[in-house]
Amino acid sequence: MQAQEPRTLCTTCGAPLGAAIDCFATLGWPRRLAIDRAALERTYHELGRRMHPDRFVAAAPALRDASLRGTARLTQAYRTLGDPVSRGLYWLELHGRKLADNNKEVSPALAEMVFAVQEQLDDLRTVRSVARGGEAETPAGAAETAAIEAEMRTEVEERREELRGAIDAAGRELEANFADWDKAAAESPDGPHEAGGASAPGADARFAELKAILSKIAYLRTLIRDIDRALETAQAA
Amino acid sequence: MAYSEKVIEHYTNPRNVGSFAKGEDNVGTGIVGAPECGDVMKLQLKINPANGVIEDAKFKTFGCGSAIASSSYVTELVKGKHVDEAMAIKNTAIVQELNLPPVKIHCSVLAEDAIKAAITDWRKHQEPAVESADAVPARTAQEG
Ligand code: FES
């Protein structure tokens, strides 16, 4: 018989316990990283119903409190594990690792991309300020500047598509990394591991890979944010 | 968040923005990023191979005001310094100079790491002569 795990609901009476437990335990799940969206929804709604504060308005204060805390935790677990990127970040946190530790290097390919895009945005801003500055003396000149600006915008928009594609690809890498963790947990030498593959062989390599993927996504997202901003101001100006 | 006066000063009037020409000799390039926020910094140092003194510095930073100010400040700070001296620059010096609040510490760490990465890169290209002259292996990464 296994030792009693910390739980969200009392196994005897079903009352919310409001215990401070991790996101996986909150859902009553083992630490597996491949998460089925539909199953997550189901568990979230089911547990949410069972400890809904409305059901405990007349209950003892401690129970009411537990229902509130439990519900807050549940929502947090649902959000954290529902999004693969935040799930990955949470996995690091859960194991006392930080994304930024020993992780300042940007791969040359990614760096090149960042600088190329940022230069494009600089150019766009320059052309725009020329266009808005009314420096063109003739209507023909103004039309030409506008045409150049439109062309640049299109190029930047194309870049954004490309970057979105890169994020999608990184998302698939993330899924593959999650699958590696789960596989390690399932094949763990001391039997399938409730706590995930963190203590199974190769964990360091999996952590390093996870960090690399998450960092790449962070740089790509920042780039897309900068593109969005540049295009927006272009629109608003 | 309110930026300190010095940050605003560097931010609105950044020193040494740009890059050295591609094939230029004796230039070390450091590119580092902060994965927490996705900001990226490039720092280039022009170093005299005869005496290891940093003669010029340029940067390009796509990031927050503090990261831009930090990199602008370090380009001024490292000029005229020996690489070993520059290698020893700590982010705390940047924090102090620019009055950075705790949430912006990582921006200054980025600048410190950029210096180290640039010097490391330069050393890599300085074939055996200088390499063997200094016994201390270059650090590429830094506990952040
Ligand atoms: S916020 Fe990330 S470098 Fe400043």
Side-chain angles (χ1 to χ4, degrees):
Chain A
M1 193 64 217
Q2 249 190 328
Q4 187 78 29
E5 292 277 333
R7 286 183 200 290
T8 292
L9 301 171
C10 170
T11 36
T12 315
C13 68
L17 298 173
I21 48 181
D22 72 68
C23 287
F24 294 94
T26 298
L27 298 171
W29 288 2
R31 291 185 180 183
R32 293 293 184 275
L33 283 167
I35 287 181
D36 173 45
R37 192 70 223 190
L40 179 64
E41 296 291 337
R42 269 198 310 278
T43 304
Y44 172 60
H45 290 296
E46 168 67 18
L47 288 175
R49 201 172 52 244
R50 283 161 67 179
M51 44 181 187
H52 201 286
D54 284 357
R55 302 180 51 181
F56 298 94
V57 228
L63 196 52
R64 228 164 45 214
D65 222 56
S67 127
L68 284 171
R69 262 179 296 139
T71 303
R73 266 180 208 294
L74 178 64
T75 308
Q76 165 119 38
Y78 171 72
R79 290 211 185 113
T80 306
L81 298 183
D83 171 59
V85 171
S86 64
R87 192 188 312 153
L89 289 168
Y90 180 66
W91 191 248
L92 293 177
E93 189 192 313
L94 198 56
H95 296 99
R97 312 228 172 188
K98 283 204 185 110
L99 182 61
D101 283 355
N102 269 317
N103 186 19
K104 291 283 189 277
E105 257 167 73
V106 182
S107 81
L110 190 56
E112 205 174 298
M113 171 80 105
V114 169
F115 289 105
V117 171
Q118 295 289 3
E119 253 142 54
Q120 256 183 315
L121 296 183
D122 271 350
D123 290 348
L124 178 63
R125 289 187 202 101
T126 311
V127 169
R128 197 159 62 222
S129 67
V130 170
R132 304 293 183 265
E135 278 166 43
E137 276 124 34
T138 62
E144 197 181 319
T145 317
I148 294 174
E149 190 188 338
E151 195 180 308
M152 282 179 154
R153 285 183 61 96
T154 315
E155 273 170 26
V156 168
E157 279 161 6
E158 280 166 13
R159 273 290 198 179
R160 185 167 55 182
E161 276 322 297
E162 199 184 309
L163 294 170
R164 284 183 181 145
I167 289 191
D168 289 345
R172 287 190 291 276
E173 286 174 32
L174 197 54
E175 263 165 44
N177 177 265
F178 289 168
D180 283 348
W181 283 107
D182 293 352
K183 189 159 172 274
E187 293 170 355
S188 167
D190 35 316
H193 230 276
E194 282 295 288
S199 52
D204 279 339
R206 283 191 296 279
F207 274 124
E209 195 195 22
L210 177 59
K211 279 167 72 159
I213 300 167
L214 291 172
S215 309
K216 181 161 66 181
I217 293 176
Y219 295 124
L220 290 170
R221 282 185 172 175
T222 298
L223 259 187
I224 290 185
R225 183 205 63 196
D226 288 351
I227 291 181
D228 286 343
R229 281 191 191 155
L231 288 176
E232 250 169 54
T233 18
Q235 208 74 297
Chain B
M1 174 200 359
Y3 280 123
S4 77
E5 245 168 70
K6 277 185 174 150
V7 170
I8 294 173
E9 213 278 303
H10 273 280
Y11 180 72
T12 46
N13 180 23
R15 334 282 201 264
N16 311 307
V17 178
S19 310
F20 292 109
K22 266 226 160 71
E24 202 160 340
D25 283 340
N26 306 321
V27 171
T29 302
I31 296 177
V32 290
E36 310 100 302
C37 61
D39 290 339
V40 177
M41 180 182 288
K42 176 164 99 177
L43 180 71
Q44 290 188 304
L45 302 177
K46 193 167 181 155
I47 301 165
N48 185 334
N51 56 13
V53 169
I54 298 169
E55 295 181 330
D56 202 358
K58 288 199 185 299
F59 84 94
K60 257 189 187 181
T61 295
F62 301 107
C64 73
S66 301
I68 292 171
S70 297
S71 31
S72 168
Y73 170 59
V74 299
T75 55
E76 290 197 314
L77 190 63
V78 296
K79 270 194 223 177
K81 282 200 162 57
H82 187 270
V83 285
D84 291 344
E85 238 182 306
M87 219 49 187
I89 292 173
K90 285 263 155 288
N91 82 296
T92 42
I94 305 167
V95 170
Q96 226 168 33
E97 166 71 18
L98 299 175
N99 233 322
L100 297 178
V103 289
K104 292 289 169 177
I105 304 284
H106 80 267
C107 322
S108 67
V109 174
L110 205 52
E112 178 193 322
D113 289 343
I115 301 174
K116 295 191 162 72
I119 294 175
T120 305
D121 178 62
W122 172 77
R123 280 183 174 151
K124 247 192 337 225
H125 295 107
Q126 287 312 106
E127 287 326 311
V130 176
E131 191 88 33
S132 55
D134 89 345
V136 195
R139 279 194 300 159
T140 46
Q142 151 93 4
E143 211 64 51

mmCIF file of all heavy atoms in Angstrom, chain B residues 34 37 39 64 66-67 104 106-107 110, ligand 1:
data_model
loop_
_atom_site.group_PDB
_atom_site.id
_atom_site.type_symbol
_atom_site.label_atom_id
_atom_site.label_comp_id
_atom_site.label_asym_id
_atom_site.label_seq_id
_atom_site.Cartn_x
_atom_site.Cartn_y
_atom_site.Cartn_z
ATOM 1 N N ALA B 34 18.402 37.060 -22.814
ATOM 2 C CA ALA B 34 17.742 36.796 -21.537
ATOM 3 C C ALA B 34 16.456 36.047 -21.829
ATOM 4 O O ALA B 34 15.484 36.643 -22.277
ATOM 5 C CB ALA B 34 17.441 38.104 -20.812
ATOM 6 N N CYS B 37 12.830 37.229 -20.720
ATOM 7 C CA CYS B 37 12.055 38.283 -21.370
ATOM 8 C C CYS B 37 12.215 38.225 -22.877
ATOM 9 O O CYS B 37 11.519 38.923 -23.604
ATOM 10 C CB CYS B 37 12.487 39.641 -20.846
ATOM 11 S SG CYS B 37 14.222 39.965 -21.174
ATOM 12 N N ASP B 39 14.833 39.212 -24.581
ATOM 13 C CA ASP B 39 15.651 40.302 -25.118
ATOM 14 C C ASP B 39 17.029 39.798 -25.530
ATOM 15 O O ASP B 39 17.580 38.889 -24.912
ATOM 16 C CB ASP B 39 15.804 41.409 -24.073
ATOM 17 C CG ASP B 39 14.493 42.150 -23.854
ATOM 18 O OD1 ASP B 39 13.636 42.083 -24.752
ATOM 19 O OD2 ASP B 39 14.339 42.786 -22.792
ATOM 20 N N CYS B 64 14.652 46.032 -23.403
ATOM 21 C CA CYS B 64 14.060 47.076 -22.580
ATOM 22 C C CYS B 64 15.037 48.234 -22.413
ATOM 23 O O CYS B 64 16.220 48.133 -22.744
ATOM 24 C CB CYS B 64 13.731 46.494 -21.213
ATOM 25 S SG CYS B 64 15.195 46.208 -20.247
ATOM 26 N N SER B 66 16.425 49.376 -19.766
ATOM 27 C CA SER B 66 17.551 49.085 -18.872
ATOM 28 C C SER B 66 18.637 48.294 -19.587
ATOM 29 O O SER B 66 19.824 48.472 -19.317
ATOM 30 C CB SER B 66 17.081 48.290 -17.656
ATOM 31 O OG SER B 66 16.107 49.005 -16.962
ATOM 32 N N ALA B 67 18.232 47.408 -20.483
ATOM 33 C CA ALA B 67 19.218 46.623 -21.225
ATOM 34 C C ALA B 67 19.981 47.540 -22.181
ATOM 35 O O ALA B 67 21.197 47.417 -22.339
ATOM 36 C CB ALA B 67 18.540 45.497 -21.992
ATOM 37 N N LYS B 104 15.129 44.702 -12.658
ATOM 38 C CA LYS B 104 15.932 44.965 -13.850
ATOM 39 C C LYS B 104 17.366 44.470 -13.708
ATOM 40 O O LYS B 104 18.227 44.787 -14.527
ATOM 41 C CB LYS B 104 15.905 46.469 -14.153
ATOM 42 C CG LYS B 104 14.533 46.949 -14.606
ATOM 43 C CD LYS B 104 14.264 46.420 -16.006
ATOM 44 C CE LYS B 104 12.836 46.638 -16.416
ATOM 45 N NZ LYS B 104 12.596 46.183 -17.792
ATOM 46 N N HIS B 106 18.462 41.510 -14.126
ATOM 47 C CA HIS B 106 18.841 40.580 -15.201
ATOM 48 C C HIS B 106 19.296 41.328 -16.449
ATOM 49 O O HIS B 106 20.066 40.809 -17.244
ATOM 50 C CB HIS B 106 17.721 39.587 -15.505
ATOM 51 C CG HIS B 106 16.620 40.137 -16.366
ATOM 52 N ND1 HIS B 106 15.478 40.702 -15.848
ATOM 53 C CD2 HIS B 106 16.498 40.220 -17.720
ATOM 54 C CE1 HIS B 106 14.685 41.084 -16.842
ATOM 55 N NE2 HIS B 106 15.281 40.806 -17.981
ATOM 56 N N CYS B 107 18.830 42.561 -16.635
ATOM 57 C CA CYS B 107 19.257 43.348 -17.785
ATOM 58 C C CYS B 107 20.746 43.688 -17.668
ATOM 59 O O CYS B 107 21.477 43.683 -18.662
ATOM 60 C CB CYS B 107 18.444 44.635 -17.892
ATOM 61 S SG CYS B 107 16.694 44.453 -17.467
ATOM 62 N N LEU B 110 22.898 40.694 -18.310
ATOM 63 C CA LEU B 110 23.028 40.491 -19.754
ATOM 64 C C LEU B 110 24.247 41.257 -20.284
ATOM 65 O O LEU B 110 25.023 40.730 -21.077
ATOM 66 C CB LEU B 110 21.739 40.998 -20.414
ATOM 67 C CG LEU B 110 21.335 40.437 -21.755
ATOM 68 C CD1 LEU B 110 21.307 38.935 -21.726
ATOM 69 C CD2 LEU B 110 19.963 40.976 -22.152
HETATM 70 S S1 FES C 1 13.627 43.248 -19.362
HETATM 71 FE FE1 FES C 1 14.868 41.708 -20.168
HETATM 72 S S2 FES C 1 16.713 42.692 -20.603
HETATM 73 FE FE2 FES C 1 15.542 44.131 -19.551
#
